[in-house]
Every structure is written in structure tokens, then in C-alpha cells.
Amino acid sequence: MSHENKFKQQVRRLYHKLIIAFGLIGIAVFAFIYVALNPSILHNKPEETEIIAIPQVEGKIENGIHMETGFVDEEGLAEVIQNCTNCHSAKLVTQNRMTKEGWIATIRWMQETQNLWDLGNQEEAIVNYLAINYAPQKKGRREVLTNVEWYSLKD
Ligand code: HEC
């Protein structure tokens, strides 16, 4: 092999090494930019994307009453409409008055016997809404008389 050929061969080898080196640098730069733009891929856990759907109240509210259902417009109304008007009319709910324990018991009863679903993280809002707005009413009027001995007036 001539001197010149050997030199050419060395240059060619160097040239190949340079191409590989630049290639690797290129890949590294590319990867760096990619990670810089998507830092989340470095975390093991996928980013928690808990979807919190906040139910919205649809329909008219007049004088603090949701016209379609008759429910009082207070905090928790949307959750109650979403979960408590599917099987029976809202009236079955609004005509009842219960303590918080009573409402929870009614919900459990429906869950055990009427296929009511698990209310999940909406249960608290629903129970509070019911317990506050449909609480047992204090007796405003005197109770109906019982045990009265009636007598007829004579003239
Ligand atoms: C999966 C169906 C279903 C859903 C949803 C449902 N209920 Fe009921 N609920 C029933 C059935 C069935 C009855 C019995 C109806 C009857 O007696 O005519 C009932 C009865 C009731 C009663 C009357 C209980 C009694 O002792 O008379 C109340 C109050 C009530 N539901 C409230 C609610 C509330 C509050 C919600 C929302 C958390 C709700 N319901 C959601 C099925 C359901």
C-alpha cells in the first residue's frame, strides 16, 4: 500500500467517525429537546389527570326554586338533580323531611333494594343539601287535636 493510499484510508476512517459522532450528538440534542418539551415522560407515574366533572344546573330558577323539579336552589342542587330524578319524580324527594341520618338511611335503602348507584364523592354534597334544605320542620302550628271528647251543642 502506498503512503498516499494509507493516508486516504485514514482520512476516510476519520470521516466515518465524525459522521457517527455528529449523528450521536444530533440524536442526543433531539432527545434533550424532546424531554425539555415533555418533562412528564421522566416521571414514572403518568400524570394524574383526574377529571372532576362539576355538574351544572340547567333550566330556570325562580324565587330560589328550580322550576323543572321544584328543588330549592342551594349548594348541591346540581348533584341532586343529576342523581335523584332518574327513577322517580323530584316530588318524592321534596315532600319528605328527614334528618341527615334519615337521608343517608334512605339512600342506603335505595342502594340496597332499588339499584341506586354508589354516589361516590357526590354523596356528601347530596346528603348535606337534603339535610339542610329538607330537614324535619319544627312544628309551626299546634298539633292536630286528638283524644277530644266532642259533644253536640243543644239549643
Ligand atoms: C335507581 C333508581 C333511584 C334513584 C336514582 C333514586 N331513587 Fe329514590 N327511590 C327509588 C325507588 C324505586 C323508590 C320507591 C318508590 C315508591 O315507593 O314508589 C324510591 C323512594 C324514594 C323516597 C321515598 C322513601 C320512602 O320511604 O317513602 C325518597 C325520599 C327518595 N327515594 C329519595 C331519593 C334521593 C334523595 C335520591 C338521590 C340521592 C334518589 N331517591 C334516587 C329509586 C331511586
PDB file of all heavy atoms in Angstrom, residues 38-48:
ATOM      1  N   ASN A  38     -41.390  17.819  26.885  1.00  0.00           N
ATOM      2  CA  ASN A  38     -42.341  16.909  27.536  1.00  0.00           C
ATOM      3  C   ASN A  38     -41.757  16.382  28.835  1.00  0.00           C
ATOM      4  O   ASN A  38     -41.421  15.218  28.944  1.00  0.00           O
ATOM      5  CB  ASN A  38     -42.659  15.710  26.627  1.00  0.00           C
ATOM      6  CG  ASN A  38     -43.184  16.149  25.286  1.00  0.00           C
ATOM      7  OD1 ASN A  38     -44.336  16.492  25.143  1.00  0.00           O
ATOM      8  ND2 ASN A  38     -42.299  16.148  24.299  1.00  0.00           N
ATOM      9  N   PRO A  39     -41.594  17.243  29.832  1.00  0.00           N
ATOM     10  CA  PRO A  39     -40.925  16.802  31.064  1.00  0.00           C
ATOM     11  C   PRO A  39     -41.657  15.652  31.747  1.00  0.00           C
ATOM     12  O   PRO A  39     -41.054  14.908  32.508  1.00  0.00           O
ATOM     13  CB  PRO A  39     -40.915  18.049  31.946  1.00  0.00           C
ATOM     14  CG  PRO A  39     -41.823  19.018  31.303  1.00  0.00           C
ATOM     15  CD  PRO A  39     -42.080  18.610  29.904  1.00  0.00           C
ATOM     16  N   SER A  40     -42.938  15.483  31.471  1.00  0.00           N
ATOM     17  CA  SER A  40     -43.704  14.467  32.192  1.00  0.00           C
ATOM     18  C   SER A  40     -43.240  13.052  31.887  1.00  0.00           C
ATOM     19  O   SER A  40     -43.446  12.144  32.672  1.00  0.00           O
ATOM     20  CB  SER A  40     -45.190  14.606  31.876  1.00  0.00           C
ATOM     21  OG  SER A  40     -45.395  14.393  30.499  1.00  0.00           O
ATOM     22  N   ILE A  41     -42.563  12.840  30.733  1.00  0.00           N
ATOM     23  CA  ILE A  41     -42.149  11.482  30.417  1.00  0.00           C
ATOM     24  C   ILE A  41     -41.037  10.994  31.329  1.00  0.00           C
ATOM     25  O   ILE A  41     -40.733   9.820  31.360  1.00  0.00           O
ATOM     26  CB  ILE A  41     -41.696  11.321  28.941  1.00  0.00           C
ATOM     27  CG1 ILE A  41     -40.468  12.188  28.654  1.00  0.00           C
ATOM     28  CG2 ILE A  41     -42.837  11.580  27.984  1.00  0.00           C
ATOM     29  CD1 ILE A  41     -39.814  11.844  27.339  1.00  0.00           C
ATOM     30  N   LEU A  42     -40.449  11.911  32.106  1.00  0.00           N
ATOM     31  CA  LEU A  42     -39.399  11.500  33.042  1.00  0.00           C
ATOM     32  C   LEU A  42     -39.984  10.891  34.304  1.00  0.00           C
ATOM     33  O   LEU A  42     -39.326  10.125  34.981  1.00  0.00           O
ATOM     34  CB  LEU A  42     -38.526  12.691  33.424  1.00  0.00           C
ATOM     35  CG  LEU A  42     -37.583  13.182  32.336  1.00  0.00           C
ATOM     36  CD1 LEU A  42     -36.742  14.338  32.857  1.00  0.00           C
ATOM     37  CD2 LEU A  42     -36.669  12.058  31.849  1.00  0.00           C
ATOM     38  N   HIS A  43     -41.209  11.268  34.631  1.00  0.00           N
ATOM     39  CA  HIS A  43     -41.830  10.704  35.833  1.00  0.00           C
ATOM     40  C   HIS A  43     -42.308   9.297  35.527  1.00  0.00           C
ATOM     41  O   HIS A  43     -42.793   9.013  34.445  1.00  0.00           O
ATOM     42  CB  HIS A  43     -43.017  11.561  36.274  1.00  0.00           C
ATOM     43  CG  HIS A  43     -42.642  12.995  36.466  1.00  0.00           C
ATOM     44  ND1 HIS A  43     -41.616  13.387  37.288  1.00  0.00           N
ATOM     45  CD2 HIS A  43     -43.148  14.128  35.935  1.00  0.00           C
ATOM     46  CE1 HIS A  43     -41.509  14.696  37.247  1.00  0.00           C
ATOM     47  NE2 HIS A  43     -42.418  15.179  36.433  1.00  0.00           N
ATOM     48  N   ASN A  44     -42.139   8.447  36.543  1.00  0.00           N
ATOM     49  CA  ASN A  44     -42.595   7.079  36.358  1.00  0.00           C
ATOM     50  C   ASN A  44     -44.114   7.012  36.240  1.00  0.00           C
ATOM     51  O   ASN A  44     -44.658   6.365  35.371  1.00  0.00           O
ATOM     52  CB  ASN A  44     -42.141   6.202  37.534  1.00  0.00           C
ATOM     53  CG  ASN A  44     -40.636   5.998  37.485  1.00  0.00           C
ATOM     54  OD1 ASN A  44     -40.030   6.143  36.427  1.00  0.00           O
ATOM     55  ND2 ASN A  44     -40.048   5.684  38.617  1.00  0.00           N
ATOM     56  N   LYS A  45     -44.740   7.705  37.182  1.00  0.00           N
ATOM     57  CA  LYS A  45     -46.204   7.678  37.184  1.00  0.00           C
ATOM     58  C   LYS A  45     -46.731   8.565  36.067  1.00  0.00           C
ATOM     59  O   LYS A  45     -46.224   9.665  35.859  1.00  0.00           O
ATOM     60  CB  LYS A  45     -46.744   8.198  38.520  1.00  0.00           C
ATOM     61  CG  LYS A  45     -46.814   7.112  39.582  1.00  0.00           C
ATOM     62  CD  LYS A  45     -47.570   7.626  40.783  1.00  0.00           C
ATOM     63  CE  LYS A  45     -46.634   8.225  41.806  1.00  0.00           C
ATOM     64  NZ  LYS A  45     -47.303   8.926  42.874  1.00  0.00           N
ATOM     65  N   PRO A  46     -47.725   8.121  35.377  1.00  0.00           N
ATOM     66  CA  PRO A  46     -48.343   9.029  34.425  1.00  0.00           C
ATOM     67  C   PRO A  46     -49.023  10.152  35.213  1.00  0.00           C
ATOM     68  O   PRO A  46     -49.517   9.917  36.310  1.00  0.00           O
ATOM     69  CB  PRO A  46     -49.388   8.152  33.724  1.00  0.00           C
ATOM     70  CG  PRO A  46     -49.605   6.987  34.630  1.00  0.00           C
ATOM     71  CD  PRO A  46     -48.356   6.804  35.422  1.00  0.00           C
ATOM     72  N   GLU A  47     -48.967  11.324  34.697  1.00  0.00           N
ATOM     73  CA  GLU A  47     -49.546  12.447  35.420  1.00  0.00           C
ATOM     74  C   GLU A  47     -51.017  12.190  35.707  1.00  0.00           C
ATOM     75  O   GLU A  47     -51.753  11.750  34.842  1.00  0.00           O
ATOM     76  CB  GLU A  47     -49.405  13.735  34.592  1.00  0.00           C
ATOM     77  CG  GLU A  47     -48.513  14.735  35.301  1.00  0.00           C
ATOM     78  CD  GLU A  47     -48.145  15.889  34.403  1.00  0.00           C
ATOM     79  OE1 GLU A  47     -49.035  16.723  34.172  1.00  0.00           O
ATOM     80  OE2 GLU A  47     -47.004  15.936  33.922  1.00  0.00           O
ATOM     81  N   GLU A  48     -51.374  12.449  36.964  1.00  0.00           N
ATOM     82  CA  GLU A  48     -52.761  12.177  37.328  1.00  0.00           C
ATOM     83  C   GLU A  48     -53.669  13.181  36.657  1.00  0.00           C
ATOM     84  O   GLU A  48     -53.576  14.381  36.853  1.00  0.00           O
ATOM     85  CB  GLU A  48     -52.921  12.252  38.850  1.00  0.00           C
ATOM     86  CG  GLU A  48     -52.591  10.920  39.519  1.00  0.00           C
ATOM     87  CD  GLU A  48     -52.526  11.044  41.024  1.00  0.00           C
ATOM     88  OE1 GLU A  48     -53.448  11.617  41.606  1.00  0.00           O
ATOM     89  OE2 GLU A  48     -51.543  10.568  41.589  1.00  0.00           O
TER      90      GLU A  48
END
